[in-house]
Structure formats: structure tokens, C-alpha cells
Amino acid sequence: MPISENARAVLERRYLIRDEQGQPTETVEELFHRVADAIAAADTHFDPQADTAATAADFFQLMTSLDFLPNSPTLMNAASELGQLSACFVLPVADSMEDIFDAIKNAALIHKSGGGTGFSFSRLRAKGSTVNSTGGVASGPISFMKVFNAATEAVKQGGTRRGANMGILRVDHPDIMDFITCKNDTKEITNFNISVGLTEAFMAAVESGGEYDLVDPASRKITGRLNARAVFEAIVDSAWRTGEPGIIFLDRLNRDNPCPSQGEIESTNPCGEQPLLPYEACNLGSINLVNHLKKTAAGYVLDREKLEQTIRTAVHFLDNVIEVNQYPLPEIDKVTKLTRKIGLGVMGFADMLLYMGIPYNSDAGVSMAKTVMELVQGACTERIYPVGRLDKNSLGLLLFTNDGDFANLIMHPSHHVSKTYRVTVRPDISDAQVVQLSTGVEIDGKKTSPAHVTVLEKEPGRVVLQMVIYEGRNRQVRKMCEAVGLEVARLKRTAIGPLKLGMLAPGKWRELRPGEIGMLRNAVKTSTGAPETLGDLDEGILESASRKGRPAGRVQYQSQQRQRGFE
């Protein structure tokens, strides 16, 4: 398997099944066989004569080639006694003591199995409201968020990580100002990400500078008014100070809700990329884009045929997960199999652009993102299973067709067709650690930080360049440079602080943006390459002072090259 020692260490530490003494009972290879066999077995739910051995072989190849990896709970729990394979859940929080603590219990069960939970606390009455059953007053949603937070602290997800939550409160809730600042003390509510649920009426008031209504969630009566722009500025200020809260556009979410007949979307998973209905779960997976490049005479290009085939196999895999998943609650089992949402995403997008010589923050980079996701959407919506795949609970037929915007179509007995999600671009931090790439579609601050390049030595037929990078990117830089034909002469980690060139006279530093590494590919050739100018290297490259106080590594590249292009 093309798995590095670092990736193997991550898999062994986090995903192998262990005995009562904490010792692994399987190898990394056996882990992937366990997962592939368990997920392939779902085919027999639809066809008792299905060739599950062939499907398992396809799934094993898909994962061990690192072309695709599912979310962590699938790797951890497939074919285990726990058997819970989804990463994302949303639970309802109704306005009663019984419902609130049921939600806390259910969240604990999900965290134990490796999943994350999202909640909307917007139905809870405001702080100080009368409680008719006791004659007392309500403590408000924030006080209960602290109870959820404490319960999460006590439960370790899947034996490997702390629980994670998303807490959302509508902007028209009477306690919204306290919610916006509830994490300004960074020691409070540490197991939650929080977001304010914005409405289009609120945003219109922000634009006009007007006021908007605060609404009691129980009586639906107006309890007050606030200046919308002041509230929005409070959100921005708090986010600037602590990174919290985020914002979520509730009206837009529900306008695009693929299953409106099943309810209203109120919350998302902890990272915010997967809006879900109450009691709904979604399993995720990511395609390694770097593995879907092919080298041509002109450089690296997207291998569209391979990517389309990977997408089809990955959708098959993720839909099978829905079937074999052992959900922690019967309500989640029912709703998830009714809507059959999957989240197929990508990872290594920034790395892919590096190989292709495309600047990340460019029109060409945006165009490539559009190309990739159009391929993902298009391949997902093709008919990849026979029409007639029957839902396990006889809720309807699961169809995969080439029309519409979503992959999964559920045909209900009433002939109502509801479209459901199949594409989700997620952070996929754990998967990215295994394949050693940048996460999702983002530039990782450590792994793809801007580099500095300068000319250190010049002599006839020989040029020495030095690139300064941040620690943690060394392996990726070496791999990338070797791929584009650069000879890595030396790779050395250095201490924190600006680089000391020692006996080599320092040149004038230039900052090299991530996508501009493609210019080096064209400018610097190995001894077998044709001499070319380095003139293009100057275009768009910014002069920059050395960066202080950050870890750095040093890479030198030696190549046979004429001196043209240097000044």
C-alpha cells in the first residue's frame, strides 16, 4: 500500500481495533479489509446474489490507494460491536426539562461512537421567562449550553477524541446578545462551535440601519427590538476577538432544503458544512485530488476519467454505509434512511494547484474548483445502481438518475420525489493527515504557507536556489519538487527565527505564492532539461522581509541551468 510511515502511525494510533489491554488486534491492511468487507455487505440488502467479494475488492483498492477515504467513525467502527459509522448528527432541543436532558443523553451516545452533534437552542425560552409548571423562571439557553458542554467534556469520542458540538441561536431570540458574547471568555463552553442563525429580514434591517423584532420562542410574541446593525457589529467584533460566533443563513438554507416535506433545517454538524434535519445523520468521505492528476509533456492535468470512476465507487461506498450503519437511536435510523444523505467531498485541492502551477487565489484557481466540483456533481447524478434499489425500511425506491441537482432521489408511495445531499466539502483533517495533503479546498496554514525564494549562487551551467518554508511542509515540498523535476540537494530543519545563511551571502528575498511553484517548474530544469529563462519568475512575486518567530525549514535545489533571467 502507498502509505507513508507517518500515515501508518496515524492509522495505528487512531483507527485500529484494540483489545481490553489497549493493544491492536489488527494491522493497517486488516483495518482496510475490515472496512471494505463490512461496507460491501450492504449490497445483499438489495440483491441477495450480489458479488460482495468483488465490491469489497473495489472498496479496498479505493482506500488503500488513498484515492478516497471515509470519515473517521467508518474507519474506527465498521464491523465492530459499536458499528456506528456516521460523523454528523443533528438533534432537536425542545423547551422542556425532559427533552433537554434527553438531548444531552443522546448526544453522549453519539459522542461515544465518534460522531459530532449540532443543536438549535432557539426553541428554549429566554432567561427570566416564567415556567408555568413550577412558578419559577427559566435560566435561558446559554445556561443549558453549559450543561451540554460539561456532559461532552466527560465523554471521549470513540475512545480517541473529545466530543464536538455546534450550538445555534436565531438572531431574533431575546437572549441573542448574551449568546454572541458567551464565548468571549475562552475558558467557557469549550466543546462548542457557535453560530448565529440569521434571517433575511434581519439582513435587510442591517442594510437599512433599522431595527428588528425579538420574538419569544414559546408564545411567538414580540418581546423587544434591537438595532440590526449594532447586533451585526457585535457579531463581527466578537468573531474578531475569539473566532466566535459564526453565522448561518437560515432562510437560504431552507429555501434550498432538498426535503422540505420532512421538516425545517435548524442546525448543522459541528464544523458547519452539513445542514441536517432533526434526528438526521450523514456519513462523509473525501477524494484525494492529487491522486487524480496525470503528467503530460505540458505538465500535470486533471485525470477526468479516473476521477469520474472514483466518484462512482465512492458514492456506492457511502450509500452502503447508510445500510450497515448501527445508529444510536431508532429515530436517527428512520430519518437517515428516509432521506439518504451522503457527503462526498475533496481534499488536497491546494496541493493539486501546486502541481498544476495554478495560483490558489486566481481566476484559474476558481475555474479549476468549478471544473472539479462539476465533475463530482455530474458523476454523482449518473445512474450508477439499477433502478429498484429498495430502501431497507420500505420507505421508497432509491434512484440514481442523470437529472436534477442532487444524487439521491427517494420515490415515496405518494410519488413525491425529494432530492437529497450528496456533495459536502468538509475539513477532513484526519483523512488529510493520512494522505499528507492540505485539508478540503483550503490552504493549510502550516502545510501550504508562502515560501521565499532567492538565488544563492550562480556560475556557468549551475544555479543554486534556496526556498524557505514553514516546518511541517518539508515532506510535501520534497514530493512536489521531485514530481516537477527539481533536484533536492539538501533538506534541513532550522531553529525558530529568521534563517541564517551562514557562509552563503544572503540574496534579496522574494515571496513565492503557493501556485507560483509552477513557475519554478518551467524555470528550473534538471541537467537533462533544456535551458530556459527565469524571467517569468519575477512576475507577480512579491518582495518580502524574512518572517520572525515562525518555525522554518530550508530546502536547496541545484540544477543545470543558464543564468538568463537573473538580475
Side-chain angles (χ1 to χ4, degrees), residues 32-46 52 55-56 59 63 68 70 73-75 77-79 83 85 283 313-325 385 389:
F32 286 116
H33 275 299
R34 165 173 59 82
V35 175
D37 292 346
I39 306 307
D43 282 359
T44 60
H45 293 199
F46 311 107
T52 57
T55 301
F59 290 168
M63 292 183 289
F68 163 88
T74 299
L75 295 174
N77 300 330
L85 311 181
N283 66 91
T313 308
V315 171
H316 185 176
F317 182 103
L318 293 174
D319 187 71
N320 277 17
V321 168
I322 295 172
E323 287 300 307
V324 298
N325 203 342
Y385 296 120
R389 174 175 267 226

Coordinates of all heavy atoms in Angstrom, one line a residue, residues 32-46 52 55-56 59 63 68 70 73-75 77-79 83 85 283 313-325 385 389:
F32 N -8.3 -2.0 6.6 CA -9.0 -1.6 5.4 C -9.8 -2.8 4.8 O -10.8 -2.6 4.2 CB -8.0 -1.2 4.3 CG -7.5 0.2 4.6 CD1 -6.1 0.5 4.9 CD2 -8.3 1.3 4.6 CE1 -5.7 1.8 5.1 CE2 -7.9 2.6 4.8 CZ -6.5 2.8 5.1
H33 N -9.3 -4.0 5.1 CA -10.1 -5.2 4.7 C -11.4 -5.3 5.5 O -12.5 -5.6 5.0 CB -9.3 -6.5 4.9 CG -8.4 -6.8 3.7 ND1 -8.9 -7.1 2.5 CD2 -7.1 -7.0 3.6 CE1 -7.9 -7.4 1.6 NE2 -6.8 -7.3 2.3
R34 N -11.3 -5.0 6.8 CA -12.4 -5.0 7.7 C -13.5 -4.0 7.2 O -14.7 -4.3 7.1 CB -12.0 -4.6 9.1 CG -13.2 -4.2 10.1 CD -12.7 -4.0 11.5 NE -11.7 -3.0 11.7 CZ -11.9 -1.7 11.8 NH1 -13.2 -1.3 11.7 NH2 -10.9 -0.9 12.0
V35 N -13.1 -2.8 6.9 CA -14.0 -1.7 6.4 C -14.6 -2.1 5.1 O -15.8 -2.0 4.9 CB -13.3 -0.4 6.4 CG1 -14.2 0.7 5.8 CG2 -12.8 0.1 7.7
A36 N -13.7 -2.5 4.1 CA -14.2 -2.9 2.8 C -15.3 -4.0 2.8 O -16.3 -3.9 2.2 CB -13.1 -3.2 1.9
D37 N -15.0 -5.0 3.6 CA -15.9 -6.2 3.7 C -17.2 -5.8 4.3 O -18.3 -6.2 3.8 CB -15.3 -7.3 4.5 CG -14.1 -7.9 3.8 OD1 -13.9 -7.7 2.5 OD2 -13.3 -8.7 4.4
A38 N -17.2 -5.0 5.4 CA -18.4 -4.6 6.1 C -19.3 -3.7 5.2 O -20.5 -3.9 5.2 CB -18.0 -3.9 7.4
I39 N -18.7 -2.8 4.5 CA -19.5 -1.9 3.7 C -20.0 -2.6 2.4 O -21.2 -2.3 2.0 CB -18.7 -0.6 3.3 CG1 -18.1 0.0 4.5 CG2 -19.5 0.4 2.5 CD1 -19.1 0.4 5.6
A40 N -19.2 -3.5 1.8 CA -19.7 -4.2 0.6 C -20.9 -5.1 1.0 O -21.7 -5.4 0.1 CB -18.5 -5.0 0.1
A41 N -21.0 -5.6 2.2 CA -22.0 -6.5 2.6 C -23.4 -5.9 2.4 O -24.4 -6.6 2.3 CB -21.9 -6.9 4.0
A42 N -23.5 -4.5 2.4 CA -24.8 -3.9 2.2 C -25.4 -4.2 0.9 O -26.7 -4.1 0.7 CB -24.6 -2.4 2.3
D43 N -24.7 -4.6 -0.1 CA -25.3 -4.9 -1.4 C -26.3 -6.0 -1.4 O -27.2 -6.0 -2.1 CB -24.1 -5.3 -2.4 CG -23.4 -4.1 -3.0 OD1 -23.7 -2.9 -2.6 OD2 -22.4 -4.3 -3.8
T44 N -26.1 -6.9 -0.4 CA -27.1 -8.0 -0.3 C -28.4 -7.6 0.2 O -29.4 -8.3 0.2 CB -26.5 -9.1 0.6 OG1 -26.3 -8.6 1.9 CG2 -25.2 -9.7 0.1
H45 N -28.5 -6.3 0.8 CA -29.8 -5.8 1.2 C -30.7 -5.6 0.0 O -31.9 -5.5 0.2 CB -29.6 -4.5 2.0 CG -28.9 -4.7 3.3 ND1 -29.0 -3.7 4.3 CD2 -28.1 -5.6 3.8 CE1 -28.2 -4.1 5.3 NE2 -27.7 -5.3 5.0
F46 N -30.1 -5.4 -1.1 CA -30.9 -5.1 -2.3 C -30.8 -6.2 -3.4 O -31.8 -6.3 -4.2 CB -30.3 -3.8 -3.0 CG -30.1 -2.7 -2.0 CD1 -28.8 -2.3 -1.6 CD2 -31.2 -2.0 -1.5 CE1 -28.6 -1.3 -0.7 CE2 -31.0 -1.0 -0.6 CZ -29.7 -0.6 -0.2
T52 N -20.4 -9.6 -3.4 CA -19.9 -8.7 -2.4 C -18.3 -8.8 -2.4 O -17.7 -7.8 -2.0 CB -20.4 -9.0 -1.1 OG1 -20.2 -10.3 -0.7 CG2 -21.9 -8.7 -1.0
T55 N -17.1 -6.3 -4.9 CA -17.3 -5.0 -4.4 C -16.3 -4.6 -3.3 O -15.8 -3.5 -3.2 CB -18.7 -4.8 -3.9 OG1 -19.6 -5.1 -4.9 CG2 -19.0 -3.4 -3.4
A56 N -16.1 -5.6 -2.4 CA -15.1 -5.4 -1.3 C -13.7 -5.1 -1.9 O -13.0 -4.3 -1.3 CB -15.1 -6.6 -0.4
F59 N -13.6 -1.6 -3.0 CA -13.5 -0.6 -1.9 C -12.2 -0.7 -1.3 O -11.6 0.4 -0.9 CB -14.6 -1.0 -0.9 CG -16.0 -0.7 -1.3 CD1 -17.1 -1.2 -0.6 CD2 -16.3 0.1 -2.5 CE1 -18.4 -0.9 -1.0 CE2 -17.6 0.3 -2.9 CZ -18.7 -0.2 -2.1
M63 N -9.5 2.6 -1.0 CA -9.0 3.2 0.2 C -7.5 3.1 0.3 O -6.8 4.0 0.6 CB -9.7 2.6 1.4 CG -11.1 3.0 1.6 SD -11.9 2.3 3.1 CE -11.9 0.5 2.6
F68 N -9.5 7.7 -2.0 CA -10.6 8.1 -1.3 C -10.5 7.6 0.2 O -10.0 6.5 0.3 CB -11.9 7.6 -1.9 CG -13.1 7.5 -1.1 CD1 -14.0 8.6 -1.0 CD2 -13.5 6.4 -0.3 CE1 -15.1 8.6 -0.2 CE2 -14.6 6.4 0.5 CZ -15.4 7.5 0.5
P70 N -13.1 7.4 3.8 CA -14.4 7.8 4.5 C -14.1 8.5 5.8 O -12.9 8.6 6.3 CB -15.0 6.4 4.8 CG -13.9 5.5 5.0 CD -12.8 6.0 4.1
P73 N -15.4 7.8 11.9 CA -16.2 6.7 12.5 C -16.3 5.5 11.7 O -16.4 4.4 12.2 CB -17.5 7.4 12.7 CG -17.2 8.9 12.9 CD -16.1 9.1 11.9
T74 N -16.3 5.6 10.3 CA -16.4 4.5 9.5 C -15.1 3.6 9.6 O -15.2 2.4 9.7 CB -16.6 4.9 8.0 OG1 -17.9 5.6 7.9 CG2 -16.7 3.7 7.1
L75 N -14.0 4.3 9.6 CA -12.7 3.5 9.8 C -12.6 2.9 11.2 O -12.1 1.8 11.3 CB -11.5 4.5 9.5 CG -11.4 5.0 8.1 CD1 -10.2 6.0 8.1 CD2 -11.1 3.9 7.1
N77 N -15.2 2.1 13.3 CA -16.3 1.2 13.9 C -16.8 0.2 12.9 O -17.7 -0.6 13.3 CB -17.4 2.1 14.4 CG -17.0 3.1 15.5 OD1 -16.1 2.8 16.2 ND2 -17.6 4.3 15.5
A78 N -16.5 0.2 11.6 CA -17.0 -0.8 10.7 C -16.7 -2.2 11.2 O -15.6 -2.5 11.6 CB -16.5 -0.5 9.3
A79 N -17.7 -3.0 11.2 CA -17.6 -4.4 11.6 C -17.2 -4.6 13.1 O -16.9 -5.7 13.5 CB -16.6 -5.2 10.7
G83 N -20.4 -0.3 15.7 CA -20.9 -0.3 14.4 C -21.5 1.1 14.0 O -22.3 1.1 13.0
L85 N -21.2 4.5 12.1 CA -20.3 4.9 11.0 C -20.4 6.3 10.6 O -19.6 6.7 9.7 CB -20.5 4.0 9.8 CG -20.6 2.4 10.1 CD1 -20.7 1.7 8.8 CD2 -19.3 2.0 10.8
N283 N -23.0 10.5 6.6 CA -21.7 10.0 6.6 C -20.9 10.7 5.4 O -21.4 11.0 4.4 CB -21.6 8.5 6.4 CG -22.2 8.0 5.1 OD1 -21.4 7.8 4.2 ND2 -23.5 7.7 5.0
T313 N -17.5 5.0 -7.5 CA -17.3 3.9 -6.5 C -17.5 4.5 -5.1 O -18.0 3.8 -4.2 CB -15.8 3.4 -6.6 OG1 -15.6 3.0 -8.0 CG2 -15.6 2.2 -5.7
A314 N -17.1 5.8 -4.9 CA -17.2 6.4 -3.6 C -18.7 6.6 -3.2 O -19.1 6.4 -2.0 CB -16.5 7.8 -3.6
V315 N -19.5 7.0 -4.2 CA -20.9 7.1 -3.9 C -21.5 5.8 -3.5 O -22.4 5.7 -2.6 CB -21.7 7.8 -5.1 CG1 -23.2 7.7 -4.9 CG2 -21.2 9.2 -5.3
H316 N -21.2 4.7 -4.2 CA -21.6 3.4 -3.9 C -21.2 3.1 -2.4 O -22.0 2.6 -1.6 CB -20.9 2.4 -4.9 CG -21.4 1.0 -4.7 ND1 -21.0 0.0 -5.6 CD2 -22.2 0.4 -3.8 CE1 -21.5 -1.2 -5.2 NE2 -22.2 -1.0 -4.1
F317 N -20.0 3.4 -2.1 CA -19.5 3.1 -0.7 C -20.3 3.9 0.3 O -20.8 3.3 1.3 CB -18.0 3.5 -0.7 CG -17.3 3.3 0.6 CD1 -16.4 2.2 0.8 CD2 -17.5 4.1 1.7 CE1 -15.8 2.0 2.0 CE2 -16.9 3.9 2.9 CZ -16.0 2.9 3.1
L318 N -20.5 5.2 0.1 CA -21.1 6.0 1.1 C -22.6 5.6 1.2 O -23.2 5.6 2.4 CB -21.0 7.5 0.8 CG -19.6 8.0 0.8 CD1 -19.5 9.5 0.3 CD2 -19.0 8.0 2.3
D319 N -23.3 5.3 0.1 CA -24.7 4.8 0.2 C -24.8 3.5 1.0 O -25.7 3.3 1.7 CB -25.3 4.7 -1.1 CG -26.8 4.5 -1.1 OD1 -27.5 5.4 -0.7 OD2 -27.2 3.3 -1.3
N320 N -23.8 2.6 0.8 CA -23.8 1.4 1.5 C -23.6 1.6 3.0 O -24.2 0.8 3.8 CB -22.7 0.4 1.0 CG -23.1 -0.3 -0.2 OD1 -24.1 0.0 -0.9 ND2 -22.4 -1.4 -0.5
V321 N -22.9 2.6 3.4 CA -22.7 2.9 4.8 C -24.0 3.2 5.5 O -24.3 2.8 6.6 CB -21.7 4.1 5.0 CG1 -21.8 4.6 6.4 CG2 -20.3 3.8 4.6
I322 N -24.9 3.8 4.8 CA -26.3 4.1 5.3 C -26.9 2.8 5.7 O -27.6 2.7 6.8 CB -27.1 4.8 4.3 CG1 -26.5 6.2 4.0 CG2 -28.6 5.0 4.8 CD1 -27.2 7.0 2.9
E323 N -26.7 1.7 5.0 CA -27.4 0.5 5.2 C -26.8 -0.3 6.4 O -27.5 -0.8 7.2 CB -27.4 -0.4 4.0 CG -28.3 0.1 2.9 CD -29.7 0.0 3.3 OE1 -30.2 -1.0 3.8 OE2 -30.4 1.1 3.2
V324 N -25.5 -0.3 6.5 CA -24.9 -1.2 7.5 C -24.6 -0.4 8.8 O -24.2 -1.0 9.8 CB -23.5 -1.8 7.0 CG1 -23.8 -2.7 5.8 CG2 -22.5 -0.7 6.7
N325 N -24.9 0.9 8.8 CA -24.7 1.7 10.0 C -25.6 1.2 11.1 O -26.8 1.0 10.9 CB -25.0 3.1 9.6 CG -24.3 4.1 10.6 OD1 -23.9 3.8 11.7 ND2 -24.2 5.4 10.1
Y385 N -26.6 2.7 -10.0 CA -27.2 1.5 -9.5 C -28.4 1.2 -10.3 O -29.1 2.1 -10.8 CB -27.6 1.6 -8.0 CG -26.4 1.9 -7.1 CD1 -26.3 3.0 -6.3 CD2 -25.4 0.9 -7.0 CE1 -25.3 3.2 -5.5 CE2 -24.4 1.1 -6.1 CZ -24.3 2.3 -5.4 OH -23.2 2.5 -4.5
R389 N -33.4 -0.2 -6.4 CA -32.7 -0.5 -5.1 C -33.7 0.0 -4.0 O -34.0 1.1 -3.8 CB -31.5 0.4 -5.0 CG -30.8 0.3 -3.7 CD -29.4 1.0 -3.7 NE -28.4 0.1 -4.0 CZ -27.2 0.0 -3.3 NH1 -27.0 0.9 -2.3 NH2 -26.3 -0.9 -3.6

